[in-house]
Amino acid sequence: MRGLSEERKRALGRFLVIAIPFLWLGALFLAPFLIVAKISLSSAAVAIPPYEPLISWADDGALVLTLHVGNYKLIFSDPIYLIAYASSLRNAAVTVIFTLLLGFPLAYFIATRDQKWRAPLLLLVMLPFWTSFLIRVYAWIGILKPNGVINGALLWLGVIEKPLVILNNNFAVIVGMVYGYLPFMVLPLYAHLEKMDWSLLEAASDLGAKPFRVFRKVTLPLAAPGIVAGSLLVFIPAVGEYIVPALLGGPDTLTIGATLWNEFFSNRDWPVASTVAVALVALLVGPLLALQHHRTKGARP
């Protein structure tokens, strides 16, 4: 390092700063994904591990590469997998909508408080993370079950005559997912709203704009990056959610997370399960790359 010039030292420092995260992602994401992609091109077998190798030796000593693409044909032709994908995408989209409707006012409220109150309010938003996600989902069973808190309160008030069926259905799944992912929407929104120039809102009001017009023309465009970031942070994990549908959903609840679990652990069909996982990643990465390309193109002068 002593023999290097200052310019080379700075270049080496920049390279290390970039290389370490890439190595981390390569070891913990790319390498496992390539292994799963390899398994998706094999066929199931009664063995350990339960799939055929892609590369084998023929009787004449030649190296043979065998790729099975039938797994991909299966998941795009079998209605079970298509319904699972559609159900997961629908639940994730609905979760994004409700977390945005609930999270935007909450983030706006926190961002407009005095500086001394913002940290305690953000702490309250992040407080659920101090408890296991599994325990929090179990708590919703006690709230939503026929003799739970909600039904008990409604029966006591005389609003209903018999308990509502609000557990073991898609309604309970949405409630659990909105509750679980709400902080992922609030925090990015707060980060952008907190940096917003509030004098722009005052100027719009002084020029005669109504509150809703100020929100639509000024606040919403300035908060758009936070909305996009929060929506992605909610949508991506929500698509593959398994715990909430398994605990709060009914027997007819079909999601891609439950499908992966059944294929891996019940059917022990690792190739089909890997195919489902690879297709899910492709389904999520494609729109993300398109969005990034659009944002990069829009940012060019």
Side-chain angles (χ1 to χ4, degrees):
M1 294 292 291
R2 292 182 179 180
L4 297 177
S5 63
E6 290 297 326
E7 183 178 354
R8 288 184 175 273
K9 289 181 180 180
R10 288 195 296 268
L12 180 60
R14 289 193 296 268
F15 173 77
L16 292 176
V17 170
I18 298 174
I20 292 175
F22 271 93
L23 289 174
W24 181 268
L25 290 175
L28 297 182
F29 175 76
L30 183 60
F33 177 75
L34 292 177
I35 294 174
V36 172
K38 183 200 74 170
I39 297 174
S40 70
L41 295 172
S42 63
S43 59
V46 183
I48 300 177
Y51 58 88
E52 297 287 349
L54 297 183
I55 300 176
S56 59
W57 294 96
D59 296 336
D60 58 356
L63 193 63
V64 178
L65 175 63
T66 306
L67 301 178
H68 298 270
V69 296
N71 296 329
Y72 289 92
K73 295 180 180 178
L74 173 65
I75 66 171
F76 289 112
S77 60
D78 193 328
I80 294 296
Y81 299 103
L82 297 178
I83 293 173
Y85 278 115
S87 176
S88 296
L89 291 172
R90 180 197 63 204
N91 290 343
V94 174
T95 301
V96 169
I97 293 172
F98 279 101
T99 53
L100 180 58
L101 292 176
L102 295 173
F104 196 99
L106 181 57
Y108 189 89
F109 175 80
I110 297 175
T112 54
R113 299 306 95 188
D114 292 336
Q115 191 68 36
K116 64 179 180 179
W117 291 109
R118 294 180 186 178
L121 291 173
L122 284 176
L123 181 63
L124 291 177
V125 173
M126 295 184 289
L127 196 61
F129 287 115
W130 297 4
T131 306
S132 169
F133 183 70
L134 184 62
I135 295 176
R136 287 186 279 136
V137 176
Y138 264 114
W140 275 103
I141 297 177
I143 296 173
L144 299 175
K145 63 184 181 180
N147 58 342
V149 176
I150 293 179
N151 278 310
L154 293 177
L155 288 170
W156 182 74
L157 293 173
V159 178
I160 57 176
E161 297 181 355
K162 60 180 181 179
L164 299 175
V165 181
I166 52 177
L167 183 62
N168 296 330
N169 51 31
N170 202 61
F171 171 80
V173 173
I174 296 300
V175 169
M177 292 176 65
V178 170
Y179 164 77
Y181 291 110
L182 183 59
F184 292 96
M185 180 66 75
V186 173
L187 296 179
L189 284 172
Y190 168 78
H192 284 80
L193 290 173
E194 191 267 340
K195 299 177 183 177
M196 191 167 59
D197 187 358
W198 299 100
S199 62
L200 298 176
L201 278 69
E202 297 176 359
S205 299
D206 293 340
L207 292 174
K210 301 295 183 181
F212 180 75
R213 186 176 179 85
V214 173
F215 172 79
R216 185 167 59 89
K217 293 292 187 179
V218 181
T219 306
L220 200 58
L222 292 176
I227 294 175
V228 173
S231 299
L232 292 178
L233 285 175
V234 172
F235 183 82
I236 293 175
V239 171
E241 179 61 46
Y242 170 73
I243 294 178
V244 174
L247 295 180
L248 301 182
D252 296 332
T253 302
L254 183 61
T255 62
I256 206 63
T259 302
L260 283 171
W261 174 273
N262 291 331
E263 294 293 352
F264 266 117
F265 299 103
S266 298
N267 300 336
R268 289 188 59 80
D269 194 339
W270 288 21
V272 170
S274 300
T275 304
V276 173
V278 171
L280 178 61
V281 172
L283 186 67
L284 295 176
V285 170
L288 289 178
L289 293 178
L291 177 63
Q292 183 63 32
H293 175 73
H294 177 73
R295 293 179 62 184
T296 303
K297 186 178 180 180
R300 294 174 184 172

